[in-house]
Amino acid sequence: MDNNMEVDGSAVDIGQLKNGDIDESLYSRQLYVLGHEAMKRMGSSHVLIAGLRGLGVEIAKNIALAGVKSLTLFDPEPAAISDLSSQFFLHPDDVGKPRAAVTAPRVAELNAYTPVSVHPSDSLIDNLEDLRLYQVIVLTGTSLRDQLTISDFTHKNGIFLVVADIYGLFGSIFTDFGKQFAIADPTGENPVSGIVADIDSDGLVSALDETRHGLEDGDYVTFSEVQGMAPLNDSEPRKITVKGPYTFSIGDVSGLGQYERGGLYTQVKMPKVVDFQPLAEQLHKPEILMSDFAKFDRPQQLHIGFQALHAFKDKHGHLPRPHNDEDASQILEISQGLAGTGEDKVELDEKLIRELSYQARGDLSPMAAFFGGLAAQEVLKSVSGKFHPIVQWLYFDSLESLPTSVKRSEELCKLTGSRYDGQIAVFGVEFQEKIANLNQFLVGAGAIGCEMLKNWALIGLATGPKGKISVADMDQIEKSNLNRQFLFRPKDVGRLKADCAAEAVEAINPELKGKIVTLRDRVGPETEHIFNEDFWEGLDGVTNALDNVDARQYVDRRCVFFRKPLLDSGTLGTKGNSQVVLPRLTESYSSSQDPPEQSFPQCTLRSFPNKIEHTIAWAKEKFHQYFVGPPETVNLYVSQSNYIEQTLKQSGNEIPTLESIRDFLITEKPSNFDDCIIWARHQFEKEYNNAIQQLLYNFPKDSTTASGAPFWSGPKRAPDPLRFDASNPAHLGFIKATANLHAFNYGIEGGDKVGDKHHVEVMENMIIPEFSPDPGVKIQADDKEPDPNAQNGKSSFDDSGELKQLVSQLPPPKTLAGFKLQPVEFEKDDDSNHHIDFITAASNLRAQNYAIAEADRHKTKFIAGKIIPAIATTTALVTGLVVLELYKIVDGKDDIEQYKNGFVNLALPFFGFSEPIASPKGKYLGKEGEVTIDKLWDRFEVENMTLREFLDHFSGKGLEVMMLSSGVSLLYASFYPPNKLKDRMGLKLSELVETISKKAIPDHQKNVIFEMTVEDQTEEDVEVPYVMLKLRT
């Protein structure tokens, strides 16, 4: 990638967006955050951004990726070398050129659907009428005088306004969305719903089976399928009052009848209206949203201090000089004049105001990332009505990031003509040298990884003689990545993420050339010969940029083992979090667990679904049962000698498996695509007619339970069989997707060229046999009951008559040499492979059986594909928080109170910060007295001694070893008889491990881990750290 970035977005067909269509392959993950309606409103909006230093370009980048009708940039000022501290679309040879002119074509590259242009004026206030072209205007780096002029105009003319500024480690944002601003969805959370158990005469609603209803006071709900209170069904939404976790009141229900049974409640999102005030009024009586409750008195002071900076600049033509005491005194004096008198007076902390003056010329990329993500999300809220805006101010600082290990002074913080001047102005030149010589490991080069590398390039991380960045990511770039992984372009699709990201950030900061090592291996146990002890020991720190919990936990364990600081972060739509893991100070990422993923009882999926999530899970199982499991089983039968005797005998599921092999190899083996259509039609009949008829035969609609209650009540919805109708798109869609996937299994091509008419003709010539329910079939009625079809450990081999007959029908494997089926590998993002088409059709047909509201393809893909919703704004903001913590690690801070774990939800908006939880400590009584240990970070390290020496070594510490193990091998136990221990006592520990485990220790492995149970001097069991045997140095 060279400095002259080309506009290559033409790889995307602009024509796709005609008539308001949305390119789901590009916007897929963002659509799951915002929804189609909000994105369509964004797609008709014109946005202007003024000021294109780091903060302005960050906002522009996020809005361009999100997609608006047009994005216009304004900044006629010439670029300065110090802009490169945070402006990633400027290069050294752009210095002196107008910022907007050089930035616009590079922003335009990000999204072909967002045209980018330059506002044709040298001043925004000379012709305010030009601002009528825009729905929303963003001001950064704009004088307070101009802010007030523009605010007055925008407020009167219904134009939304966002004002954002950063000064070093301080920042602010202001919003004005006018009077009567309507918020369509204040939270972004999915509406909750549930099953009604009872509604009493006072309007108290009880949820079924004591299921938490999840509602809050003031929410609104509607009802359906309520029997006995028919007027309640599909009536106007009713406001609720929460009475308990399982009950809520809907008020007066007189005249609605008496509740009998059934019913569903569903939350309804009601619009909220907010009145905004113009900037002139809000300056004097600000309404401030707290960003950090530990700094309760700070926002009011910063509100004054920021105004003082504007006044200083108006008077002197420039901001205060870095760390200049004379200028700081002036800022303090101006602030005191603005602080008011009497009861309204704001008490000022002189040290805080001076620090604001010292840093005023600072321009830090993580602060630009934080406020750039925040401001861009506010812009999207204004034009979409989705999520609750900031009302109306927010101030944020990260003064804890200031270094204490180096000196700061006017001399050390002065501007030097360096691209890092914006950072040096805050931290000083000595700290810049520390950053430049770090050796950092970034795990993952996706959305967070791209943002992290951008920040690292801008702050100059690893640009020094000892600096190094290792980036590991085995994935290739897909089109859906382009919406938030901003280092990639359409021409990069198919390339490795790590390689492409490294090239992109080397273009941002050429000083990184030769400093980045890309690794295309998964970081895990299988690659410990690559990411070996030498690799980990050489690192200064690790940053996770992963969306996989298992991978994050593995990296976390490695960091604990090698005692390396870890910065972890993650996003989920508008929610994001950051966590700091510090050796010997904090708990680790793995110390806390997320709740387990929701799973559904098998009985519910098989026979009694009551919501669309059940039918989608069922359809996903059918996908595996049709197109994955049987082909894999056939391939094993063909390729594995003694498959039936060995593998199959262990499974306990012999007859169904053999029937499946027989069907796929003989009775149902297709010879052409028409056979696949026939097979698909039979599956339709089997699943949506025959199985339902059988279920209703076993449990008729009027059946009752042992207690006399209706069987089909509560969560059990009585189904109806479906009659196939070729004119029904869902019916035909199922046939087409099923036939194509079955054809794929057999390598039969041409299915995509077969039209609907031919599908119908083939099916019209079929004879579908009449179905008669089987009295011998048993169906489990409840998960609490035993499954009547379970084999209870009995193998079919015990009753081998039917089994032998099945085996005799199978062709011998040797006659099938070279034959192989193609199992389908589920891929959610390929819209041409029929995978999501099948699951959508299969799920919706079952939903029709049970009168469950169907889900469109988009929602089905989200649930079946377990897609993590994502948007660029949250990613940028969270990455900014992570880098602010990185500054503290570089400084070597060892006070846990200086660090912050962060949690944000931009939809609400909510910001929560807390100090990390300390690592757990323990104690034991040794020979020299009580010993305190860190249960997470401490360990015992020993040389390669004999087992006898090992036991004596710990006995000398006052610890008697009761048991010693390594992995699954028990090496020593105090209760072992002497003759068993005799041969072990003289063995070196490494020999002992290899002897007992019967495995050699790999050459690349420099240590072996032991676990032991011990008694201390109290003769009680005590918990002690593990032991590390050092083999090689």
Side-chain angles (χ1 to χ4, degrees):
M1 186 183 290
D2 57 29
N3 287 349
N4 298 312
M5 291 182 173
E6 60 193 355
V7 181
D8 68 351
S10 56
V12 185
D13 179 13
I14 302 276
Q16 289 178 347
L17 270 193
K18 288 178 181 175
N19 304 318
D21 290 341
I22 294 170
D23 184 351
E24 293 193 6
S25 61
L26 175 67
Y27 290 118
S28 164
R29 305 306 187 261
Q30 180 175 293
L31 271 166
Y32 294 118
V33 182
L34 298 173
H36 284 79
E37 287 306 311
M39 281 203 59
K40 284 178 180 176
R41 287 194 287 270
M42 286 160 45
S44 61
S45 302
H46 302 276
V47 180
L48 170 68
I49 298 175
L52 288 168
R53 295 179 71 206
L55 176 55
V57 78
E58 188 74 45
I59 299 168
K61 177 257 291 180
N62 293 330
I63 291 173
L65 290 171
V68 291
K69 181 81 170 178
S70 75
L71 179 60
T72 306
L73 308 180
F74 172 81
D75 193 339
E77 294 298 314
I81 189 68
S82 60
D83 293 343
L84 274 61
S85 293
S86 60
Q87 221 282 26
F88 45 83
F89 279 152
L90 288 180
H91 305 118
D93 55 4
D94 295 324
V95 171
K97 300 174 187 175
R99 289 194 194 107
V102 293
T103 302
R106 294 160 189 169
V107 175
E109 280 192 310
L110 294 170
N111 189 349
Y113 294 139
T114 302
V116 180
S117 60
V118 177
H119 185 74
S121 171
D122 288 336
S123 169
L124 289 182
I125 60 171
D126 283 354
N127 191 353
L128 290 171
E129 289 299 313
D130 287 349
L131 302 184
R132 293 183 185 276
L133 297 169
Y134 310 106
Q135 275 74 48
V136 56
I137 294 169
V138 184
L139 303 179
T140 72
T142 307
S143 71
L144 182 57
R145 184 177 59 254
D146 287 357
Q147 288 177 22
L148 287 164
T149 302
I150 293 168
S151 168
D152 183 60
F153 180 83
T154 56
H155 191 82
K156 288 175 181 174
N157 289 280
I159 301 167
F160 306 131
L161 178 69
V162 177
V163 182
D165 281 302
I166 55 172
Y167 303 103
L169 290 165
F170 300 90
S172 74
I173 185 169
F174 168 80
T175 63
D176 175 11
F177 298 166
K179 288 196 174 295
Q180 297 289 294
F181 178 75
I183 308 164
D185 179 1
T187 67
E189 298 297 325
N190 290 325
V192 300
S193 61
I195 301 172
V196 176
D198 183 53
I199 305 175
D200 71 12
S201 58
D202 294 323
L204 186 71
V205 181
S206 301
L208 185 75
D209 291 338
E210 292 205 337
T211 305
R212 289 179 178 271
H213 52 66
L215 295 165
E216 297 178 3
D217 274 346
D219 284 346
Y220 286 77
V221 296
T222 57
F223 291 89
S224 59
E225 302 181 18
V226 177
Q227 296 182 33
M229 303 178 86
L232 201 56
N233 292 327
D234 303 319
S235 62
E236 289 296 308
R238 297 181 70 111
K239 190 174 183 179
I240 69 108
T241 305
V242 172
K243 296 298 184 182
Y246 314 108
T247 56
F248 58 90
S249 172
I250 56 172
D252 183 16
V253 292
S254 58
L256 296 179
Q258 186 170 352
Y259 177 80
E260 294 174 6
R261 57 185 279 203
L264 305 172
Y265 65 85
T266 304
Q267 181 189 9
V268 177
K269 293 292 184 79
M270 303 297 281
K272 179 181 177 182
V273 176
V274 177
D275 277 332
F276 287 80
Q277 295 177 334
L279 179 61
E281 292 180 35
Q282 278 286 306
L283 268 182
H284 300 297
K285 286 193 174 180
E287 187 172 354
I288 299 175
L289 175 72
M290 289 299 299
S291 64
D292 188 342
F293 290 94
K295 303 174 179 179
F296 200 76
D297 61 343
R298 197 165 288 181
Q300 289 282 0
Q301 296 184 66
L302 295 181
H303 187 68
I304 298 293
F306 276 43
Q307 291 178 64
L309 291 179
H310 283 290
F312 183 98
K313 189 174 182 182
D314 279 350
K315 181 178 179 181
H316 297 284
H318 60 78
L319 287 167
R321 290 162 290 182
H323 231 278
N324 180 278
D325 285 322
E326 181 185 342
D327 290 355
S329 295
Q330 285 193 50
I331 291 292
L332 180 61
E333 186 180 340
I334 297 168
S335 298
Q336 288 167 339
L338 292 168
T341 57
E343 290 183 5
D344 295 332
K345 183 177 181 181
V346 176
E347 294 296 330
L348 298 178
D349 178 347
E350 180 178 336
K351 187 177 177 185
L352 175 71
I353 300 300
R354 284 187 174 277
E355 194 60 63
L356 176 61
S357 177
Y358 289 162
Q359 298 184 33
R361 293 198 193 181
D363 189 12
L364 300 175
S365 72
M367 289 297 290
F370 180 89
F371 277 96
L374 192 56
Q377 190 67 58
E378 294 305 301
V379 170
L380 301 182
K381 290 176 186 179
S382 72
V383 296
S384 70
K386 181 87 171 182
F387 310 138
H388 201 294
I390 290 171
V391 182
Q392 287 188 251
W393 296 90
L394 179 136
Y395 288 90
F396 171 80
D397 73 80
S398 184
L399 285 185
E400 302 82 7
S401 298
L402 281 176
T404 55
S405 64
V406 297
K407 292 178 181 176
R408 292 190 306 140
S409 65
E410 185 171 6
E411 178 62 26
L412 291 170
C413 295
K414 71 180 180 182
L415 307 185
T416 62
S418 156
R419 65 175 294 139
Y420 309 115
D421 272 353
Q423 186 163 256
I424 291 170
V426 179
F427 298 133
V429 70
E430 292 178 11
F431 194 68
Q432 189 62 45
E433 290 174 13
K434 279 193 166 192
I435 293 172
N437 287 295
L438 291 174
N439 182 350
Q440 286 285 314
F441 182 26
L442 179 66
V443 192
I448 289 176
C450 282
E451 293 287 340
M452 201 68 67
L453 283 170
K454 170 206 71 182
N455 279 285
W456 287 3
L458 293 168
I459 69 174
L461 188 143
T463 53
K466 297 178 183 175
K468 180 182 176 184
I469 294 173
S470 301
V471 186
D473 197 312
M474 60 185 293
D475 289 343
Q476 293 177 313
I477 298 164
E478 299 174 358
K479 185 179 177 183
S480 65
N481 300 149
L482 304 179
N483 174 237
R484 64 202 181 284
Q485 300 176 18
F486 89 104
L487 295 179
F488 309 142
R489 301 291 179 269
K491 63 178 169 39
D492 298 322
V493 171
R495 294 186 62 201
L496 282 166
K497 287 183 178 180
D499 292 346
C500 197
E503 288 176 23
V505 292
E506 284 173 6
I508 290 173
N509 187 351
E511 292 179 22
L512 278 173
K513 284 184 177 161
K515 298 291 185 178
I516 304 177
V517 176
T518 59
L519 301 146
R520 54 196 71 181
D521 301 283
R522 185 192 305 277
V523 182
E526 69 277 11
T527 55
E528 288 183 3
H529 59 293
I530 298 168
F531 303 100
N532 54 25
E533 280 87 344
D534 289 340
F535 175 84
W536 287 96
E537 293 289 0
L539 298 174
D540 293 312
V542 181
T543 300
N544 266 349
L546 296 161
D547 60 4
N548 178 305
V549 171
D550 290 341
R552 288 161 83 172
Q553 289 178 335
Y554 173 79
V555 173
D556 175 66
R557 290 195 299 272
R558 294 270 88 187
C559 287
V560 170
F561 182 78
F562 290 102
R563 294 171 176 155
K564 300 296 177 183
L566 170 67
L567 290 163
D568 189 274
S569 59
T571 69
L572 182 70
T574 58
K575 298 170 186 157
N577 73 286
S578 61
Q579 181 179 355
V580 193
V581 177
L582 302 164
R584 294 190 171 92
L585 281 180
T586 73
E587 68 174 17
S588 74
Y589 173 81
S590 305
S591 299
S592 58
Q593 298 283 337
D594 288 331
E597 193 174 299
Q598 183 185 22
S599 60
F600 303 118
Q602 278 302 308
C603 185
T604 300
L605 295 186
R606 281 198 296 257
S607 306
F608 308 113
N610 59 60
K611 55 185 180 179
I612 197 66
E613 288 81 1
H614 295 156
T615 67
I616 291 172
W618 176 88
K620 190 100 181 276
E621 284 191 1
K622 289 298 167 187
F623 182 91
H624 189 275
Q625 289 171 17
Y626 286 178
F627 314 118
V628 184
E632 287 177 344
T633 304
V634 166
N635 290 343
L636 287 172
Y637 171 75
V638 171
S639 62
Q640 237 180 53
S641 59
N642 300 323
Y643 171 75
I644 290 175
E645 293 79 4
Q646 299 300 319
T647 310
L648 194 52
K649 194 167 183 177
Q650 297 168 8
S651 72
N653 199 29
E654 298 86 1
I655 289 177
T657 305
L658 288 174
E659 287 176 339
S660 174
I661 294 173
R662 178 199 64 195
D663 293 346
F664 269 67
L665 281 177
I666 306 170
T667 56
E668 296 176 1
K669 181 181 177 183
S671 57
N672 53 42
F673 190 74
D674 285 2
D675 289 345
C676 297
I677 296 173
I678 293 167
W679 185 82
R681 175 65 183 87
H682 282 303
Q683 303 314 307
F684 180 99
E685 201 67 18
K686 173 183 165 188
E687 303 294 357
Y688 303 111
N689 183 14
N690 302 356
I692 302 300
Q693 285 195 48
Q694 182 70 55
L695 181 62
L696 291 172
Y697 174 83
N698 285 49
F699 305 110
K701 288 193 176 184
D702 59 359
S703 56
T704 58
T705 64
S707 64
F711 179 84
W712 294 105
S713 62
K716 289 186 170 73
R717 302 174 66 85
D720 291 296
L722 295 183
R723 294 184 64 83
F724 182 77
D725 178 3
S727 65
N728 185 315
H731 293 210
L732 188 59
F734 174 85
I735 300 298
K736 289 163 64 178
T738 305
N740 272 282
L741 290 169
H742 195 56
F744 176 87
N745 285 151
Y746 288 91
I748 296 171
E749 297 180 354
D752 285 325
K753 297 174 185 175
V754 176
D756 292 358
K757 185 179 178 183
H758 184 76
H759 282 84
V760 174
E761 288 172 352
V762 171
M763 290 186 287
E764 283 176 344
N765 290 323
M766 289 176 62
I767 297 174
I768 303 296
E770 283 292 321
F771 175 76
S772 297
D774 183 350
V777 169
K778 296 176 182 177
I779 297 175
Q780 187 180 8
D782 194 298
D783 266 294
K784 295 170 185 171
E785 299 175 2
D787 184 352
N789 300 303
Q791 294 189 17
N792 299 319
K794 180 185 173 186
S795 169
S796 303
F797 276 85
D798 299 338
D799 182 15
S800 58
E802 185 180 356
L803 196 69
K804 287 179 179 176
Q805 185 181 355
L806 275 170
V807 172
S808 69
Q809 295 174 15
L810 300 180
K814 61 185 177 185
T815 67
L816 298 168
F819 178 82
K820 188 177 182 182
L821 293 180
Q822 293 175 259
V824 176
E825 289 186 26
F826 179 64
E827 170 50 58
K828 59 186 177 290
D829 285 321
D830 181 353
D831 289 340
S832 66
N833 65 12
H834 304 286
H835 298 187
I836 296 298
D837 295 334
F838 170 82
I839 292 171
T840 303
S843 166
N844 283 339
L845 291 174
R846 189 159 176 84
Q848 289 176 21
N849 280 139
Y850 287 86
I852 296 168
E854 297 173 37
D856 62 13
R857 189 182 190 281
H858 181 69
K859 181 176 179 179
T860 303
K861 175 178 173 180
F862 175 65
I863 297 171
K866 297 181 179 178
I867 288 175
I868 299 173
I871 189 167
T873 50
T874 316
T875 307
L877 184 148
V878 165
T879 310
L881 291 177
V882 171
V883 178
L884 291 172
E885 297 305 305
L886 175 64
Y887 285 143
K888 302 172 188 178
I889 292 173
V890 175
D891 187 42
K893 294 183 190 298
D894 56 8
D895 178 3
I896 197 170
E897 293 183 3
Q898 297 299 305
Y899 291 90
K900 288 188 181 288
N901 290 343
F903 175 79
V904 300
N905 186 342
L906 297 185
L908 297 177
F910 171 81
F911 302 85
F913 296 97
S914 61
E915 68 181 59
I917 297 172
S919 52
K921 305 297 189 288
K923 294 177 181 176
Y924 69 83
L925 187 62
K927 288 195 171 176
E928 304 297 323
E930 194 172 75
V931 179
T932 300
I933 53 171
D934 189 308
K935 291 183 179 180
L936 179 63
W937 296 98
D938 279 346
R939 63 175 173 245
F940 297 110
E941 297 186 1
V942 298
E943 301 297 330
N944 197 9
M945 56 182 71
T946 65
L947 176 57
R948 166 55 60 199
E949 291 168 338
F950 179 89
L951 299 175
D952 291 344
H953 173 76
F954 282 97
S955 184
K957 293 178 179 288
L959 296 172
E960 300 303 321
V961 179
M962 298 290 106
M963 284 193 289
L964 180 68
S965 63
S966 180
V968 296
S969 302
L970 184 59
L971 308 176
Y972 167 83
S974 58
F975 54 78
Y976 277 176
N979 61 335
K980 188 168 185 176
L981 292 174
K982 183 177 62 175
D983 294 335
R984 300 188 182 191
M985 285 297 190
L987 291 177
K988 295 270 190 179
L989 292 173
S990 60
E991 298 169 338
L992 180 63
V993 169
E994 291 181 329
T995 301
I996 304 301
S997 69
K998 298 182 173 59
K999 291 179 184 174
I1001 299 170
D1003 291 339
H1004 66 82
Q1005 191 172 317
K1006 292 187 175 182
N1007 51 64
V1008 178
I1009 303 303
F1010 296 91
E1011 300 283 350
M1012 58 182 184
T1013 57
V1014 300
E1015 291 180 356
D1016 68 357
Q1017 295 298 287
T1018 65
E1019 297 187 358
E1020 296 288 334
D1021 285 350
V1022 290
E1023 188 179 344
V1024 293
Y1026 66 90
V1027 181
M1028 184 178 85
L1029 165 63
K1030 295 185 287 186
L1031 292 175
R1032 309 172 183 89
T1033 55

